[in-house]
Amino acid sequence: MSEQKRKKIALIGAGNIGGSMAYLACAKELGDVVLFDVVEDMPQGKALDLRHAAPVLGSSSNVTGTNDYADISGSDVCIVTAGLARKPGMSRDDLLATNAKIMKSVAQGIKENAPEAFVIIVSNPLDAMVTLCQRETGFPSERVVGMAGVLDSARYRSFLAEEVGVSPVVIDAFVLGGHGDTMVPIRSHTTVGGIPITHFIKPERLDEIEQRVRKAGGEVVALLKTGSAFYSPATAALEMAESFLKDQKKVLPCAALLNGEYGYEGIYIGVPTVIGGKGVERIIEIELNDEEKKALAVSAEAVKSLITSLPE
Ligand code: TXD
């Protein structure tokens, strides 16, 4: 009998998003979960609470919490949310200096204890943090990816579904580029049950909706006042992790390291990727119209200038 091994999911950062991911991973039985955080005892408390939920959830996942990186050993996937979240009035880029220091320590911990893991970065500013993590771990770029496009596309899909009066499930949409105000909703590939979105919504109204997508994170921050969105980022990151763990080969918009695709070299930006058991298995180059190409160029420039402010 071949030895059946449970998957192991390490959540580096056990805050709002980390805790939400732990709950969802447990409910979906994606594997055993280890919550890591620097706050003494907090991950252990969340893990204990989740173990209490397991019988009612009907989950056999084992959830543990730790302040010791050694406990992430053998993880198949590491999902990183370690870092500060935005407060009202802050931009994602305002988090750069603090979160870069944190990301360096996280990358070290993963490199030493889970050297074979697929790494999904969530911490902001996303495009800079995923770049830094890949540099610091030295892992091949197909094993280090950023989560932003799945969330931004979900926000686009949610707003379009409200506007058209249909289920968000039947909306297919991509948001590409950097995870910031320059992100690029790809209208030309957006459909409602396969029907182009322009059949339902006029261009000027689409402009308004797409601008709301760019500001959607800030809209949640302004309402919450004490932190940023966590249910939707947690769900988005787990869709990427599940596609890896089950080798689903889903086509998902993720921050991947480009090696000439879309005319860019050596930068992480959101592009359509195939996520399977080997991580980022393919980057898909879709046809963009002139407006989308220009917007992607602006977004790539914004990411490049963010990367230049990363500490050496
Ligand atoms: O789409 C996206 N990528 C974004 C990402 C969507 C929403 C939120 N985005 C960012 O995720 C947000 O701006 C933050 O940078 C991260 C995490 O957001 P979250 O809401 O989970 O923040 P919390 O609740 O503050 O949790 C962060 C945890 C907290 O428990 C800290 O103690 C811990 O990170 N932390 C650390 N863990 C490990 N190692 C170190 N050094 C460390 N420092 C802090």
Side-chain angles (χ1 to χ4, degrees):
M1 294 277 279
S2 67
E3 189 219 345
Q4 281 291 338
K5 192 169 101 45
R6 275 185 181 200
K7 299 296 183 185
K8 184 171 178 180
I9 301 154
L11 303 177
I12 314 296
N16 284 338
I17 300 176
S20 303
M21 286 193 293
Y23 181 79
L24 194 52
C26 182
K28 291 164 72 81
E29 276 196 337
L30 291 182
D32 288 343
V33 175
V34 56
L35 277 159
F36 172 91
D37 204 293
V38 289
V39 173
E40 204 71 23
D41 294 339
M42 179 268 281
Q44 295 87 336
K46 290 196 176 182
L48 181 60
D49 187 11
L50 284 164
R51 290 202 298 275
H52 296 165
V56 183
L57 268 179
S59 171
S60 306
S61 291
N62 184 35
V63 187
T64 53
T66 184
N67 303 117
D68 179 356
Y69 266 114
D71 294 326
I72 74 166
S73 164
S75 293
D76 297 283
V77 59
C78 295
I79 311 177
V80 181
T81 60
L84 301 189
R86 286 194 280 170
K87 297 232 174 342
M90 283 176 83
S91 76
R92 295 178 179 94
D93 298 0
D94 290 338
L95 301 169
L96 185 108
T98 310
N99 286 355
K101 280 199 199 80
I102 292 172
M103 191 54 68
K104 284 195 170 189
S105 71
V106 169
Q108 200 54 35
I110 293 173
K111 187 177 176 181
E112 285 165 10
N113 297 281
E116 303 307 319
F118 178 51
V119 182
I120 300 171
I121 300 298
V122 177
S123 310
N124 268 328
L126 186 271
D127 306 290
M129 292 300 107
V130 63
T131 301
L132 186 59
C133 185
Q134 196 270 331
R135 280 183 192 164
E136 293 293 317
T137 55
F139 287 3
S141 59
E142 60 272 15
R143 286 207 283 121
V144 185
V145 71
M147 187 297 285
V150 176
L151 171 62
D152 296 328
S153 304
R155 287 169 165 163
Y156 191 24
R157 295 166 65 189
S158 164
F159 295 146
L160 292 173
E162 278 169 29
E163 187 76 10
V164 176
V166 297
S167 159
V169 175
V170 301
I171 309 262
D172 270 329
F174 276 127
V175 175
L176 306 182
H179 182 53
D181 292 347
T182 63
M183 66 176 78
V184 188
I186 305 296
R187 187 184 301 183
S188 59
H189 285 66
T190 299
T191 59
V192 183
I195 306 158
I197 191 65
T198 44
H199 174 84
F200 299 91
I201 305 176
K202 291 194 176 351
E204 49 281 357
R205 179 64 185 136
L206 280 169
D207 290 340
E208 290 167 359
I209 291 170
E210 289 160 4
Q211 188 53 18
R212 191 181 176 198
V213 173
R214 293 186 186 92
K215 299 291 185 188
E219 189 179 345
V220 175
V221 169
L223 289 167
L224 293 180
K225 298 182 176 47
T226 56
S228 48
F230 50 93
Y231 295 126
S232 49
T235 310
L238 277 194
E239 179 173 36
M240 294 166 65
E242 185 172 20
S243 195
F244 165 75
L245 290 168
K246 296 181 180 173
D247 191 24
Q248 290 176 330
K249 299 189 191 305
K250 282 188 171 181
V251 178
L252 298 171
C254 302
L257 186 62
L258 300 192
N259 182 21
E261 298 87 351
Y262 294 90
Y264 300 109
E265 184 81 32
I267 67 162
Y268 269 93
I269 55 168
V271 287
T273 65
V274 176
I275 303 286
K278 295 188 183 70
V280 179
E281 297 185 350
R282 270 170 57 196
I283 291 175
I284 300 172
E285 291 193 78
I286 57 175
E287 272 307 301
L288 299 176
N289 62 35
D290 288 346
E291 200 180 330
E292 291 160 344
K293 278 187 195 137
K294 280 199 206 96
L296 193 63
V298 169
S299 199
E301 282 312 309
V303 171
K304 282 180 195 165
S305 63
L306 195 61
I307 304 303
T308 55
S309 16
L310 273 176
E312 273 313 311

